[in-house]
Each structure stands twice: as structure tokens, then as C-alpha cells.
Amino acid sequence: MCGIVGYTGHEQACPIIIDGLKKLEYRGYDSAGVALVTSRGIKVRKKAGRIANLEESIRGERMEGTTGIGHTRWATHGSPNDLNAHPHMSMGGQIAIVHNGIIENYAELREELKKDYGIEFISDTDSEVIAQLIGVLYEGKLEDAVYEAVSRMRGAYTFAAVAADEPEKMVAYRKDTPLIAGIGRDCNFIASDMTALLKYSSDIYLIENDEMVVCTPDKIQIFNKDRKRMDRQVLKVTWSMEDAEKGGYQHFMLKEINEQPRVVKETLERRLNADGKIHLDGIELTAEDLSKFTKIYIVACGTAYHAGLVGKYAIEKFARIPVEVDIASEFRYRDPFVDENTLFIAISQSGETLDTLMSLREAKSKGARVLSVVNVVGSSVARESDDVFYTWAGPEIAVASTKAYTTQLICMYLLALYMGTLRGTITEEYCDTIIGELRQMPDKIQQILDGSHKIESIAKLLYNRNSIFFIGRGVDSAVAYEGSLKLKEISYINSSAIAAGELKHGTIALMEPDTTVIALATQDRLFEKMYSNIEEVRARHAHILSVVKEGNKMIRKVSTDVIYIPACADEVTPILTIIPLQLFAYYVARERGENIDKPRNLAKSVTVE
Ligand code: AGP
């Protein structure tokens, strides 16, 4: 999630913009920049690294201009460096833009602009396409050029633009990613997030999807995509700074749970061509490479390890290559069998987990090909890998990982499908079917989120239990581990997960009247087995909360309560099954009054052994 701030008024814009950008730093950033409309054209200053680097680079320089836009970048496309930082300018310097989101058809537009207008691109971002496109369409009225440009773009994006010849105007367009306009005294603002403006304005307009906002110092106009002027209620914001950083959610964890529809879509769609075929840009695995691999290791810690467990199912099912999943702190010390025919996959949200990083180094030293699935661009794990598959989850602030997990699953499914098609172990039709299932995930996740009140009421019944078991079979057992970790790390309830078939080999001895068991039974082909396991624990008078696909009525006979997920193919249920478990953990911890975003004894990134 990048940050956008714009100002037009009668004060010098630069300090106001930078101050606003600093309020967005919590979202993560790896570069920042400003564009000012001055009497001698547009001046752009941008720098990789913290906002302090940008401030240092302009110290002592005259940064005049009463209209300007600024940006903090959370890199997703193109590594974090000065050239890829925003703002981006049109080739003639007429236009500058800042952008948040993805232009899905940027590659086509880039080629068109090169061929038809001779545009020379200087960055490897999708965002620069917006500046160049508006630049070639501009005929003196910025909003006209923006409209025309938007009609040619596809994706989820919000951007702001300024033009050298219209020194008091800022134009912004919203599609999917957030945008607000702030009303000042003889000045006006735009921002991706209320946090940036709280110091200057508490009267805002919420900009809806497919709307354009035109700001000058004395007025804000909002238009819909048919260029009809929209009347909009002023919203008075009473958030504290802390609240604003959470976008109005009580905790970062709840905000990040609710960001999953968007970030799952972003992580998926960026790797699908218009025809739905997979392109894994930045990953150079060829059919020849794959035919050489005799073993795949997936190595990670915590939630990332649990994503690896699902990845194992996917790769073995689609690509038919044996996969061993290992906890990084174990892998390092068991002298694993690794050679040049090994593919080592590291999964890490932070890209700084020491156990994972050291395991990667060990595998690399023994000749393995290293591919990592990472969220933080430019992190240590990413830098030391041969190929990097980025999850585009945006900054994950809460210690308990949620959106990183579901976007890691998306990457594992895409990788497994890609390998399967390269190796010919799945048909194009089957691949298209699974891609179709994955494309429905954002909406289906949203359906579960919309029904979270049911999960909240169940959590209120169970929040004071002192032990809770998660059971499942097949890929549900992998999700059971993640659901159990979510619960224990933020509620401190003693929770454990076990493959349901394993119960009879010892754990069932722990079942007592009213023991709580959360049974995941989403796999059609394993349902009967799961049903028997649930009956086993029910016979010991356990309290059973089952999670099944909608339409499953039989489960009610053996469950105290049931949570339904939207129907989908067995292969991809983990992306949905985990959502109610994340919400359950959150609401239980909230009922217990725990510090949800910063649980005791835990750190967001464990950079020690
Ligand atoms: C998950 O909720 C925990 N915060 C923790 O288990 C985490 O997944 C683990 O430390 C790995 O972190 P990484 O993904 O940044 O490597």
C-alpha cells in the first residue's frame, strides 16, 4: 500500500506534503518523493529509503511551489531505488503523477507508447505508464487527459497528477485503492489515507470508486466516470492519529484481515495475462530446470511454514514432484540432503527471519536453486535468492500474520500450476479451472468477512476456554496448524492442532466433557472420515465447532455450531478456511482484552536464533 499526499493553496507545498508523508510511514515505504509545480515547470525530487533520506537530499534547496503531490512507495513492481520512486514524469516534463495500486495492462500500454509516440521509459514500474499516457493525451486541461488515460487503463489504482501549465490544479482518480479529499482554509488536499491530513483538516470528502476529483485552492469538484458532477456530504473525522493509522479499525490485525480480498486479488492478477495464463515475471524457472529437480524443500517458520504445508499439497498434486516441508530451525541442523538438483523454496513475510535466512544460505552452499516467496521487497531473503516471488500484501503491521499467509498461498498455487503446466502433469483446461477458482477468492473471502458477526458471537461463547483443539484431514490439517497458531499467539489460550486421523493414537485421551474442538471438514473426498473423527470426540462430550462448505447439512448432526465457507474446489479451500479462524482468534483475544497487535513475548520479525 503506497501513500499519496497532495496540496494546493497559498503556502509552500513541500513541507506540508513531507509532513503528511511521514504520517503514512507506518504503512511501510522504501522510497519517497515530491513533485512541485513551480514558476519554471515541475520540480521532482525523489529518493530510495526512508523519508529522512528525501529530506536530506533536498536540504538547503529552494523547494518553491504552492501546489504539489508526494508519495511513499511500498515497492511491488521494480526494486526500491531512486528511478522507480514516485513521482513519475511524462517525457516532456509536462505532467507528474503519484500512484497506488496496479496497472494490469501496463506492458501493452508501454509498448503502445513506445511505438506510437516514441516514449522512452526510464523506470521499470507500471506507474510510469500513467505519467507518459497523460503526457501524450494532454492538450491544456488536465482532467480531460486523465479521463482519456483512465479509459485505456485496467487494474486497481489510485493516482494524482499535476500539470506544469496549470499551477494551481491537482487531479486525482480513484479505482479500488482508497482516496480522500481534505478541505482546508484557502487550500485543499488529497490523500490515500486520513492519517496524512489530520493535522490540517478534519473535513473530508470520501472519493468513491471510478470518481475523479479536481482540486484548486478554493474548490474541490468530484465527477463520476460519466463526468457528471457529484454532490458529496462533508465527513467530519474525529479519529485520533492512532485510529487513523488503522483506517478506523480497532486493531491493525482486523484491518489486515479485511484487506485480504484486495491483496489476494493484487497478488494473483499481477501474474495473469489478459487471457488468464500465468506469467511469473522475475522467476526464470524453465521446463528444463524443473525436469532437473529431484527434490523440493519448502523451508520457513511459523505462519510461513504453515503456508508451506499447503504449498506441498499443491506442488505434489499439480507438478508431481516430491516436496519436503521443514521448519527452518530444524532444517539447518539436520545436515539435509541438498544438491544441485534441489529446489529450495523459502517463505518469509519479513524476509529477515534469521532461521529461514540461515537455512537458505546452507542450501545455497550445497548447490540448490533458491526461490523465495517474500513480502518485503529488497529484504535479506529476497536479495540472497536466485528467484523471488513477491506477495503483494503491503506492509503487515500486526505481529499475527494474516494477509501475508493468504497471499503466500496464492503464490504457492501459482507456482504449483506453473510447474504442472511446464511438466505436462496437468492439462491447460485443469489449470484454467483452478485459476478460475482462484479468481473467485477475493469475492468469497469478502462474503466470509461480511458474515463475521456470527464468528464474533461464537468467540464470545468460547473466549474463556483454557484449551482448544484444531483438527482436520488432508489440506485441512495444514490449515488447522495455522488456525491454532493464530489463536494461541494473540489470546494465549493453550491451543493445538492435530491431523484428525491421529487423534486415536494418543490425543483423544485429552478429550473431556466440554473440551473445545474446531473441526475443519471442507474436503469432499475426506468428509466421511472427518465425520467419524468428529463423532469420536463428540462421544466424549466435546464442544464441536465445525467449518464446512456451504450446503453441507449433515455436519449439523454432530456439531454444536457450524461455520460455513462459500463452496469451492477442494484444492483451494485453505484460502477461505483460514478466514473464519483468523476472525475467531481475533474476537476471542479481544474478548479477553489482550494486546492483539503486539502480543506478549513476540516480535514481528524474529531476527535472532
Ligand atoms: C505468525 O503469526 C507469527 N508472527 C510468526 O509465526 C511468523 O509467521 C514467523 O516468525 C515467520 O515470520 P516471517 O514470515 O517474516 O519469516
Side-chain angles (χ1 to χ4, degrees):
M1 273 295 276
C2 303
I4 289 175
V5 179
Y7 169 84
T8 180
H10 303 293
E11 311 282 329
Q12 289 307 314
C14 190
I16 295 172
I17 291 171
I18 287 190
D19 181 66
L21 293 178
K22 283 182 176 175
K23 301 293 186 297
L24 303 182
E25 267 189 335
Y26 73 90
R27 309 150 69 104
Y29 56 85
D30 45 57
S31 53
V34 291
L36 302 171
V37 186
T38 75
S39 48
R40 290 184 300 286
I42 295 176
K43 173 184 270 194
V44 169
R45 293 288 179 274
K46 54 187 186 175
K47 202 79 189 146
R50 304 179 67 92
I51 292 173
N53 288 14
L54 173 65
E55 287 184 297
E56 192 50 43
S57 72
I58 61 176
R59 195 177 304 287
E61 185 177 355
R62 270 176 61 75
M63 295 296 284
E64 61 173 12
T66 58
T67 294
I69 51 178
H71 187 268
T72 55
R73 182 171 182 245
W74 171 270
T76 55
H77 224 63
S79 40
N81 57 37
D82 295 1
L83 269 186
N84 289 335
H86 300 207
H88 291 287
M89 290 184 89
S90 59
M91 204 159 84
Q94 182 63 267
I95 304 292
I97 67 100
V98 290
H99 166 231
N100 177 20
I102 55 173
I103 310 301
E104 288 165 5
N105 61 331
Y106 82 94
E108 299 148 44
L109 290 172
R110 203 177 164 107
E111 287 316 307
E112 199 179 297
L113 287 161
K114 280 181 189 169
K115 189 163 62 64
D116 300 350
Y117 298 94
I119 297 295
E120 289 163 20
F121 284 82
I122 57 171
S123 81
D124 47 17
T125 65
D126 55 338
S127 309
E128 187 186 349
V129 160
I130 304 173
Q132 302 295 5
L133 187 56
I134 294 173
V136 299
L137 297 168
Y138 184 68
E139 294 176 347
K141 202 168 177 207
L142 186 52
E143 54 267 45
D144 293 351
V146 165
Y147 259 118
E148 179 56 30
V150 164
S151 70
R152 303 188 194 188
M153 289 157 45
R154 269 204 327 276
Y157 49 81
T158 287
F159 65 88
V162 290
D165 291 348
E166 297 178 86
E168 288 199 339
K169 187 185 281 182
M170 250 184 332
V171 175
Y173 193 93
R174 179 200 172 173
K175 189 163 187 323
D176 295 344
T177 52
L179 179 69
I180 58 170
I183 305 162
R185 203 190 310 274
D186 298 329
C187 64
N188 287 308
F189 302 82
I190 50 114
S192 50
D193 183 310
M194 202 33 234
T195 313
L197 303 186
L198 274 181
K199 179 176 169 186
Y200 303 100
S201 163
S202 57
D203 296 334
I204 65 165
Y205 291 119
L206 295 177
I207 307 304
E208 305 295 342
N209 237 12
D210 281 318
E211 287 186 339
M212 179 169 76
V213 56
V214 181
C215 288
T216 54
D218 57 354
K219 69 173 179 282
I220 295 175
Q221 296 173 295
I222 302 170
F223 301 90
N224 70 5
K225 61 182 174 186
D226 303 322
R227 298 199 71 160
K228 176 174 172 294
R229 179 82 187 272
M230 309 304 286
D231 288 332
R232 189 59 41 88
Q233 280 284 87
V234 174
L235 178 69
K236 186 158 277 305
V237 178
T238 54
W239 282 344
S240 68
M241 277 298 292
E242 176 79 0
D243 292 340
E245 285 181 1
K246 300 180 191 111
Y249 287 99
Q250 195 180 351
H251 297 98
F252 277 112
M253 184 178 177
L254 188 58
K255 176 172 180 250
E256 288 154 11
I257 289 172
N258 281 278
E259 286 178 335
Q260 290 180 110
R262 179 175 53 76
V263 297
V264 160
K265 179 178 181 182
E266 190 151 337
T267 301
L268 177 65
E269 291 301 335
R270 272 177 165 278
R271 289 164 178 123
L272 297 178
N273 293 325
D275 61 2
K277 299 301 177 202
I278 299 171
H279 67 86
L280 298 187
D281 55 315
I283 293 177
E284 310 300 328
L285 280 180
T286 63
E288 190 195 343
D289 292 332
L290 287 179
S291 61
K292 183 184 77 168
F293 295 138
T294 53
K295 173 114 187 190
I296 295 178
Y297 281 106
I298 301 177
V299 175
C301 303
T303 290
Y305 167 73
H306 299 149
L309 294 174
V310 176
K312 169 185 169 72
Y313 280 99
I315 294 173
E316 290 189 343
K317 181 170 178 64
F318 300 158
R320 310 306 293 160
I321 305 176
V323 178
E324 188 167 340
V325 190
D326 221 335
I327 290 171
S329 53
E330 290 297 308
F331 179 86
R332 294 177 63 189
Y333 298 109
R334 61 179 182 81
D335 191 14
F337 179 79
V338 177
D339 64 14
E340 65 285 350
N341 298 321
T342 303
L343 174 62
F344 179 95
I345 301 175
I347 304 177
S348 177
Q349 187 284 129
S350 63
E352 301 300 344
T353 299
L354 191 63
D355 284 328
T356 307
L357 184 59
M358 299 308 279
S359 298
L360 179 158
R361 289 177 181 165
E362 158 109 8
K364 205 164 184 175
S365 69
K366 294 184 173 179
R369 172 79 175 262
V370 174
L371 184 153
S372 60
V373 178
V374 179
N375 195 39
V376 179
V377 177
S379 55
S380 304
V381 167
R383 284 199 311 274
E384 299 189 26
S385 300
D386 300 308
D387 302 283
V388 186
F389 201 157
Y390 283 115
T391 52
W392 285 316
E396 189 175 68
I397 311 291
V399 166
S401 189
T402 51
K403 61 179 183 172
Y405 175 77
T406 44
T407 51
Q408 286 161 358
L409 296 188
I410 291 292
C411 290
M412 297 315 291
Y413 281 118
L414 285 171
L415 193 56
L417 289 167
Y418 184 75
M419 290 178 175
T421 41
L422 277 186
R423 287 168 52 86
T425 43
I426 54 173
T427 63
E428 287 289 331
E429 292 70 30
Y430 177 80
C431 183
D432 293 345
T433 302
I434 299 296
I435 292 284
E437 290 277 345
L438 293 176
R439 282 184 135 164
Q440 295 175 45
M441 286 295 135
D443 288 345
K444 291 182 174 180
I445 293 171
Q446 191 57 54
Q447 279 180 49
I448 298 171
L449 295 173
D450 293 344
S452 58
H453 53 283
K454 158 118 195 226
I455 299 162
E456 184 177 2
S457 54
I458 293 172
K460 284 182 175 164
L461 288 174
L462 300 175
Y463 79 94
N464 55 1
R465 298 294 170 103
N466 50 29
S467 89
I468 294 183
F469 293 84
F470 290 74
I471 65 171
R473 280 179 175 260
V475 77
D476 276 340
S477 67
V479 180
Y481 289 110
E482 175 55 13
S484 173
L485 174 61
K486 284 289 85 61
L487 182 67
K488 70 180 125 182
E489 71 175 324
I490 62 172
S491 73
Y492 315 143
I493 288 177
N494 185 349
S495 163
S496 57
I498 185 166
E502 194 59 8
L503 276 167
K504 55 188 176 293
H505 299 289
T507 305
I508 202 159
L510 295 177
M511 295 299 145
E512 295 169 330
D514 231 13
T515 298
T516 306
V517 174
I518 297 179
L520 311 184
T522 71
Q523 301 298 293
D524 299 341
R525 64 188 183 82
L526 296 170
F527 181 72
E528 276 178 29
K529 298 279 182 217
M530 264 311 285
Y531 193 87
S532 315
N533 293 138
I534 295 170
E535 283 188 309
E536 280 166 25
V537 293
R538 190 162 177 272
R540 277 92 186 158
H541 311 296
H543 177 109
I544 296 159
L545 171 60
S546 296
V547 181
V548 293
K549 286 177 193 165
E550 65 195 8
N552 183 328
K553 300 226 179 345
M554 206 174 146
I555 197 72
R556 286 201 163 285
K557 293 186 191 128
V558 291
S559 306
T560 318
D561 217 327
V562 180
I563 293 173
Y564 288 98
I565 63 169
C568 64
D570 272 9
E571 293 90 333
V572 296
T573 58
I575 300 172
L576 299 181
T577 313
I578 192 58
I579 306 298
L581 306 187
Q582 292 170 346
L583 289 167
F584 177 76
Y586 173 80
Y587 289 123
V588 165
R590 194 172 72 175
E591 275 309 299
R592 293 166 70 100
E594 302 301 356
N595 182 341
I596 291 172
D597 286 333
K598 297 188 179 69
R600 68 187 181 200
N601 313 333
L602 297 180
K604 182 59 186 169
S605 177
V606 183
T607 54
V608 293
E609 289 224 31

